[in-house]
Amino acid sequence: MASHIVGYPRMGPKRELKFALESFWDGKSTAEDLQKVAADLRSSIWKQMSDAGIKYIPSNTFSYYDQVLDTTAMLGAVPSRYNWNGGEIGFDTYFSMARGNASVPAMEMTKWFDTNYHFIVPELGPDVKFTYASHKAVTEYKEAKALGVDTVPVFVGPVSYLLLSKPAKGVEKTFDLLSLLDKILPIYKEVIAELKEAGATWIQFDEATLVKDLEAYQLEAFTKAYSVLESACSGLNVLVATYFADVPAEAYKTLTSLPGVTGYTFDLVRGEKTLGLIKSSFPSGKYLFAGVVDGRNIWANDLAGSLAVLESLEAVVGKDKLVVSTSCSLLHTAVDLVNETKLDDEIKSWLAFAAQKVVEVNGLAKALAGQKDEAYFAANAAAQASRKSSPRVTNEAVQKAAAALRGSDHRRATNVSARLDAQQKKLNLPILPTTTIGSFPQTIELRRVRREYKAKKISEEEYVKAIKEEIYKVVQLQEELDIDVLVHGEPERNDMVEYFGEQLSGFAFTANGWVQSYGSRCVKPPIIYGDVSRPKAMTVFWSSMAQEMTKRPMKGMLTGPVTILNWSFVRNDQPRFETCYQIALAIKDEVEDLEKAGITVIQIDEAALREGLPLRKAEHAFYLDWAVHSFRITNVGVADTTQIHTHMCYSNFNDIIHSIINMDADVITIENSRSDEKLLSVFREGVKYGAGIGPGVYDIHSPRIPSMEEIHDRINKMLAVLETNILWVNPDCGLKTRKYAEVKPALLNMVAAAKKLRAELASAK
């Protein structure tokens, strides 16, 4: 009975690792304390898989921060600014690379493929001296073995490692990272030799970049790498894992003819086309690890459906060469359904978190081996049927409204420059108007009020009074600072997606459904299980209250449909775009209610629009088309005089700038200061942009307070490429995570810089 798990969450069922890390970073506990928590988590995971009957159990998928950073440590590829002097890399150097320290900044972090996990990007160049500097993989293999569990050590494959890297500062941007292959393979060989000596029989290389659009020379690097490793791996079974999408035909050919490889893992949830390739040509005598259990969602597997797929594959590869697996690492799903006490039984029966998915994998493997657990399969079939027929899932009115959207493009009737004129007549703003992105600092006191209200320890009346006082403070502060377009500060909101999800139908929430985003940071995505609608207004009460406190325009503050979608666990029984259109209609109702209540500026955040971009270029246009359309649906019904803003994070927009223009917002604010103003280069290259735009003038992710001169210079740089009459002045993102002691002086300097420029522009005229 052959079953395999690609990887497993590290944080622990109750985020034990998160709390241990943060305690260690704060100096409240020792390295030994942290190592003890980590060792306990690892052993409980190995034991859990072993008890469940899993044959191929992964090791080295645990990490104190990130698996790519672990590989960087293994290769000794420490950037020189961390002053590492050789020897085994310890916590000091490791966490400095991850988080920076008092004197030097952290390494860059970016999204892992198209997931919401972020990895630490290696910084490489021709002068890096690679050396075997972290024995973590071997240590963990031996640790499991001492517990009686024989594991499969997992590595980021050598070619993917280089393809995910970037040239270090000072290295030519055109530097060919793959030219370093000959320098890193000897270290992989050293590790392999140690693992063989320790008794390992299988080893797994994750080469997920094989699902991306690769050029011929990149594919050749895989052939070269595995030819070089072949002799070192003799006597070992080598598994190469791919995931997150189907493998393109050329890459499939390269992969299945790699020398010295025993088996391959394919994602058969997101990579259905790969099934066709396997059925038409699979190398004889090789193992197929079939990823039929979804590692990226929280839905229970359709066991009968998966079994049928597995049986069809058995006919191709042979009974003894088929292994049941997960579609990817379970890192991207929640840990254990056992800890969900608040979810009702019906919804719970539709779900499987990581611990349940391990059981599903084993249940399928047993069924293939002729030991099908009939009761288990029957319960699963009943849950699948209840989800299909539940009245909670289907709302006829919503289905109809969403279907009716197909015929229209949903564009506002007037073009953006005419709308901006109409809005200016009404709003009467100065040139270079100042604003902030939405949230203000969330103090300990404020979090306490929300927590007590949720626990019913204070009355609704007391809660409203406390929040109203907080909004008043924020409005007063902005007026004192002389900011032009105000926000209410969002004191009533826990999270920009959860806050809306809790008020929409079709959403469910977990108590412990945490998923690692990066380092110790976890997110708790809502679950969209049914048709989405808005039973009643969600933000009008607070926005109207805030607008009554000031004569200046008060922005309504909403999260856009695409961001709500991309930051949730989404139902898998209809296309994603259909769910997105439903959310768009719910937000449209809210926009129109805000307008009726006299709110003249409404911001609809699409922080995660780019996050949903598919891995392959051929699929970009379709995604961008429905994502941008969803945004336009939300505000197609407003008057020309109502100003629609949107906000986006993590600028890497240069390739999607035309889609951003196509959103047709009146004003867009964009995170910009951290990306060395890469964003502005788009406009330098002549992209014509006629709407309002506010590239962030300072980085809110850092406690540093920028000077007035620095912000002034930054705005001046923007004025070199953008028209004076469309430029807005604002921070990068919301201020929720900062302290007032940082926010006040930073905003004071921001407003002063804008005023200084207004005076200079006026005198230049």
Side-chain angles (χ1 to χ4, degrees), residues 360-662:
E360 288 179 338
V361 166
N362 193 59
L364 286 165
K366 278 171 78 170
L368 264 186
Q371 300 167 26
K372 186 172 172 189
D373 181 339
E374 294 295 350
Y376 179 60
F377 271 71
N380 173 269
Q384 298 289 324
S386 105
R387 192 176 152 209
K388 278 199 182 77
S389 61
S390 171
R392 299 169 69 176
V393 172
T394 313
N395 177 333
E396 288 299 330
V398 173
Q399 292 276 349
K400 260 206 185 92
L405 294 172
R406 299 253 158 90
S408 163
D409 206 18
H410 299 91
R411 286 184 189 278
R412 290 168 77 179
T414 322
N415 76 12
V416 70
S417 52
R419 296 197 311 259
L420 287 170
D421 288 345
Q423 291 154 13
Q424 180 54 14
K425 284 198 183 85
K426 185 167 184 174
L427 298 171
N428 197 17
L429 298 168
I431 58 164
L432 307 179
T434 53
T435 189
T436 64
I437 302 304
S439 58
F440 264 66
Q442 299 232 339
T443 57
I444 291 170
E445 175 59 19
L446 183 57
R447 289 170 197 267
R448 187 183 59 80
V449 167
R450 277 208 314 262
R451 205 168 45 241
E452 289 185 351
Y453 177 54
K454 212 166 185 177
K456 301 195 168 46
K457 285 185 183 155
I458 59 172
S459 69
E460 182 166 14
E461 210 172 316
E462 291 171 287
Y463 172 70
V464 170
K465 183 171 174 281
I467 297 292
K468 185 175 181 174
E469 280 168 13
E470 185 67 26
I471 292 174
Y472 185 70
K473 276 200 321 225
V474 168
V475 171
Q476 287 299 103
L477 173 63
Q478 292 170 94
E479 292 202 328
E480 279 163 36
L481 291 164
D482 204 14
I483 290 172
D484 300 304
V485 175
L486 310 193
V487 299
H488 76 292
E490 304 176 23
E492 78 287 10
R493 304 187 190 181
N494 43 5
D495 169 272
M496 61 186 282
V497 172
E498 195 166 315
Y499 179 75
F500 290 96
E502 284 174 338
Q503 303 185 71
L504 294 167
S505 57
F507 280 76
F509 292 85
T510 62
N512 285 292
W514 297 98
V515 180
Q516 187 180 12
S517 169
Y518 63 87
S520 70
R521 188 173 153 73
C522 301
V523 292
K524 192 154 63 72
I527 296 168
I528 305 178
Y529 66 83
D531 288 338
V532 175
S533 62
R534 185 199 71 146
K536 57 179 197 299
M538 303 182 282
T539 65
V540 177
F541 175 76
W542 301 114
S543 287
S544 311
M545 174 193 285
Q547 182 64 82
E548 281 161 17
M549 296 175 183
T550 180
K551 299 248 185 309
R552 302 180 188 217
M554 172 59 64
K555 278 197 279 197
M557 235 354 116
L558 307 173
T559 302
V562 187
T563 297
I564 291 176
L565 183 89
N566 284 339
W567 285 350
S568 298
F569 284 125
V570 182
R571 58 191 289 192
N572 57 358
D573 57 350
Q574 67 179 21
R576 284 175 79 87
F577 67 83
E578 290 195 13
T579 303
C580 199
Y581 285 154
Q582 293 180 0
I583 304 169
L585 287 171
I587 299 296
K588 178 179 193 280
D589 290 345
E590 187 70 14
V591 169
E592 289 167 12
D593 280 353
L594 281 168
E595 187 184 48
K596 280 191 201 108
I599 303 296
T600 51
V601 182
I602 301 169
Q603 181 172 309
I604 307 162
D605 281 351
E606 282 296 10
L609 183 97
R610 202 180 185 291
E611 293 203 4
L613 212 54
L615 292 173
R616 300 251 263 286
K617 287 223 168 54
E619 293 159 30
H620 284 192
F622 178 64
Y623 166 75
L624 288 167
D625 190 53
W626 62 254
V628 167
H629 188 182
S630 298
F631 178 82
R632 288 201 308 264
I633 288 165
T634 63
N635 60 81
V636 68
V638 301
D640 285 356
T641 49
T642 298
Q643 191 166 77
I644 299 293
H645 287 224
T646 189
H647 173 69
M648 297 188 157
C649 301
Y650 294 122
S651 313
N652 189 355
F653 293 120
N654 301 17
D655 49 350
I656 63 163
I657 190 73
H658 294 289
S659 298
I660 291 175
I661 293 171
N662 205 13

Side-chain angles (χ1 to χ4, degrees), residues 91-155:
F91 280 158
D92 261 9
T93 304
Y94 181 84
F95 288 131
S96 290
M97 291 194 284
R99 309 176 64 236
N101 60 37
S103 48
V104 291
M107 293 168 74
E108 189 197 342
M109 187 166 72
T110 196
K111 270 166 60 72
W112 177 244
F113 295 84
D114 60 347
T115 69
N116 290 331
Y117 175 81
H118 299 76
F119 73 97
I120 302 286
V121 184
E123 301 171 12
L124 305 177
D127 304 331
V128 177
K129 298 271 179 285
F130 295 99
T131 147
Y132 184 15
S134 165
H135 292 62
K136 173 180 178 292
V138 180
T139 310
E140 282 184 21
Y141 173 78
K142 289 177 173 168
E143 186 185 318
K145 203 164 182 188
L147 295 165
V149 182
D150 190 22
T151 58
V152 179
V154 178
F155 296 89

Side-chain angles (χ1 to χ4, degrees), residues 318-388:
K319 213 176 180 62
D320 58 333
K321 293 285 187 275
L322 182 63
V323 180
V324 183
S325 186
T326 53
S327 67
C328 60
S329 170
L330 298 176
L331 178 69
H332 309 288
T333 188
V335 181
D336 195 343
L337 202 49
V338 163
N339 300 313
E340 296 308 322
T341 45
K342 296 206 173 80
L343 281 175
D344 63 81
D345 289 345
E346 183 179 33
I347 287 181
K348 222 168 161 173
S349 76
W350 303 340
L351 306 178
F353 291 179
Q356 288 67 44
K357 289 174 189 288
V358 168
V359 175
E360 288 179 338
V361 166
N362 193 59
L364 286 165
K366 278 171 78 170
L368 264 186
Q371 300 167 26
K372 186 172 172 189
D373 181 339
E374 294 295 350
Y376 179 60
F377 271 71
N380 173 269
Q384 298 289 324
S386 105
R387 192 176 152 209
K388 278 199 182 77

Side-chain angles (χ1 to χ4, degrees), residues 735-748:
L735 305 169
K736 178 160 110 179
T737 57
R738 299 267 59 89
K739 298 181 170 64
Y740 273 107
E742 300 151 0
V743 165
K744 282 179 191 169
L747 290 178
L748 195 66

Side-chain angles (χ1 to χ4, degrees), residues 36 59 176 216 271 273 284 419 433 442 447 522 657 665 704:
K36 166 110 180 59
S59 61
D176 176 17
K273 288 185 199 146
S284 71
R419 296 197 311 259
Q442 299 232 339
R447 289 170 197 267
C522 301
I657 190 73
R704 214 182 127 256

